[in-house]
Amino acid sequence: MPRRIAHPTPSRPHAINRRRFLQFTGSALAAVGLSQLDILNQAQQHHRVLAQNTPRKLALLVGINDYPFVGMDLNGCLTDVDLQYELLVHRYGFNPADIVKISDAERLKPNRDTIIQTFREHLIAQARPGDVVVFHYSGHGSRVVDPNPIYSENNLNGTIVTNDPIPQTVLDEAQRTGELVVPDIMGRTLFLLMRSLRTENVTVVLDSCHSGGGLRGNNRVRAADRLSDRVGGTSIEFKPSDADLALQETLLANLDDYSFKQFQSDREKGIAKGIGIGSAQFSQQAIDMTFDGFYAGAFTYLLTRYLWQMPGSTPTNTVQVNLERSTRAATDSRNRVQVPEFLSAPERDHKDQPIYFTDPVTGSADAVVTSVNNQQIGFWLGGASAQFLESAEGGAIFTVLDRQGQPVGELEYMSHSGLGGVGRPIEGEISPANFAIQPGMLLREKLVGLPPNPKLRIGVDPSLGDDVEVAITELNTALLAEQTGQSRIKASAFDKPATFDYVIGRMTEEYAEQLREDFGDITLPPIGAIALFSPVLEPIASTDGRIDEMVPRAVSRLKPKFKSLLANKVLSLLASTTSSLPVQGEIFATTRSDVRVPIATGETLVQTSIEPFRAGETLKIRMMNNHSEPLHMSCIVITEDGDMTVIYPADWVASDDATLIAPGEELIMPRPQDLVEFKVSGTGYLEILTLMSTGSLRNALRGLQDIAVDRGEERTFLPLDGDESLGVLEDLLGDIDGLSRGGDRASFSVNRIDQENTAVDGGAIATFSTVIEIAEIPDS
């Protein structure tokens, strides 16, 4: 049954699939028995995190891109290994000598024997009680028949798929017999390897899945469940190897006073030790994702970026709920829902511990210096957002921090390739005469320059047949900037490697069958209709036209939608910038105290529940100004299908002072005098953008006031159509540029941002993106 989209008052019903928001990834936790317990079911309280003085921190990082089977190669697993390595070394203080990397690009190759041997020699043989151990795996997951299943309804056990080749003669025989022995590492084996560690401080991260898969748009699913995924043909039952079963017997025998019966019982309860983190729930899929200039496991990228940005010591349960919201808001493409799975060993409560059982040794950052060559500085952008990487040609200035987190200089961004950046030091202002940038110094975003003509990137799907080139031409001339005449859309063929915001294509029987298999009972465009799709080829609601519509007509019909989506994209760019303004806030229901979603996470605002808000509830937004200066607040709500509504200010006859929050005070909106309620209806997700600024966003507010006056409105939430949203956005960017460049607080380095670009100073503007879920009230 179609679902109604969540909306602020006034509500408007829309047919929409609830799972339209971003789902990057899928569960791999069954590989180690992690799918049975939910960490949040056991923890509803935030405990004080105690720093641990561990004598050693050990890590084993495994990534596999190249598989010796047709159609199984991945792209982002080696990047995942680098993401974890840089994070562990520069944020968590791991000694590089205590981290072993196994991948296609390393001396140690990711075959079964190497992975097992290294786990035993590097982790099991060296770890002592109290040590910290991290094991990360990125690659394909699969399932094999479990000779001793723990569930009567399921005789399968999740596996890690190594890159060991299987001879063609064996594959041919398997197609005849219907059975294939694979060299995978079973979840049973990984459980016993974890159990063999002499420390409880163990964190396992798995960015893979075993829920089936194949290609989804420009992304590849990290799963290998069927023989057809490897060599084509009929589905075949996978069997574990004798080597893996023998290893399990050896590991079990080496565990004193640990019987097979206890092993089976512990497997059923959950994980062996410590904390287990999986890319998503059992039924979801792990995506090997295309970013701007690089590939990565989407879950690993979002996890490591979050941990770079995390302000300090944070318990795992808080990381879990904040990462879920962060994942949903991490891209301007609203596709499907990804829900990471975080679990703790059942016999010990680890959920109030830091995620790697050790506190960060440095402050939050966007990047870290990796090399110094005269005046050219190399750095790793592990904490930077995907939006920053896309728009970085607009320029950026980073503050250089010493080990104590104090500013010691500034660095000008020059270019980047993937996650590797190049810059040069800036002399002046805060840089002392003897200042020298050194490897290991952290970088925090200070100023960014948004390009003057941001574009909506649209892929043209092959389903348009002979009209692909026509569609590219029509799209590239559909939206032209009034002042420059440049196109606001960049269209190209979807079969080429690229990063897209949306895809345009014609619904076919083949696509419809695949979408129903992926998402169940969802509302699809009619066969033959042209519509917009997400990058993973899920249809965007209310974008289809009549059957057999001509391409030029479809592009013309979609122009208003393109304008709204472009405005939303630029707002997402703003929301991805880093701010130093000391503010915090939360979204809460007026009738319940159990659901409170933080906007800017602070020490007193820790969310430990991911329960959704209920359709029909009235919500409030509280923002606290901890700054020494007055701040102005504005708030915009964006629905899943791209509709934009201004919900604060709501009094369009009031002065600019209506948006003002004095130092040390808070504002709760809507205010009683606004005479409106923020009541949500339908089901799905809302993105709430909260803007805090040191000066009034005068031009944008005047534009909104003009729209309200034209409609005869004085006090109301203000929905915007495509033309209105782009116009208000241009005024807003002008206001932000003026605040960043003008006044007494304008920095010396702002002159490094080209005048054609919009300068965004994190000390003048803060934009927060918060995603909330709206669900039906359950029947009593």
Side-chain angles (χ1 to χ4, degrees), residues 441-459:
M441 285 184 169
L442 300 184
L443 306 178
R444 186 174 297 157
E445 183 182 296
K446 178 180 180 179
L447 278 163
V448 296
L450 301 185
N453 187 38
K455 298 178 185 291
L456 197 67
R457 299 165 304 180
I458 298 180

Side-chain angles (χ1 to χ4, degrees), residues 19 51 53 57 136 226 251 278 316 385 405 433 461 509 547 558 567 572 577 581 627 639 645 691 715 722 736 780:
R19 294 180 292 182
N53 185 18
K57 304 171 185 177
H136 178 102
R226 301 179 301 275
L251 292 170
T316 296
S385 68
D461 191 75
E509 292 281 5
I547 298 174
L558 289 168
S572 294
T577 58
L581 289 180
H627 195 35
T639 65
T645 299
L691 292 86
R715 291 180 174 88
I736 291 172
S780 56

Side-chain angles (χ1 to χ4, degrees), residues 641-662:
D641 61 359
D643 289 340
M644 184 187 301
T645 299
V646 179
I647 63 171
Y648 195 80
D651 185 350
W652 300 109
V653 296
S655 66
D656 291 350
D657 292 342
T659 65
L660 200 62
I661 309 177

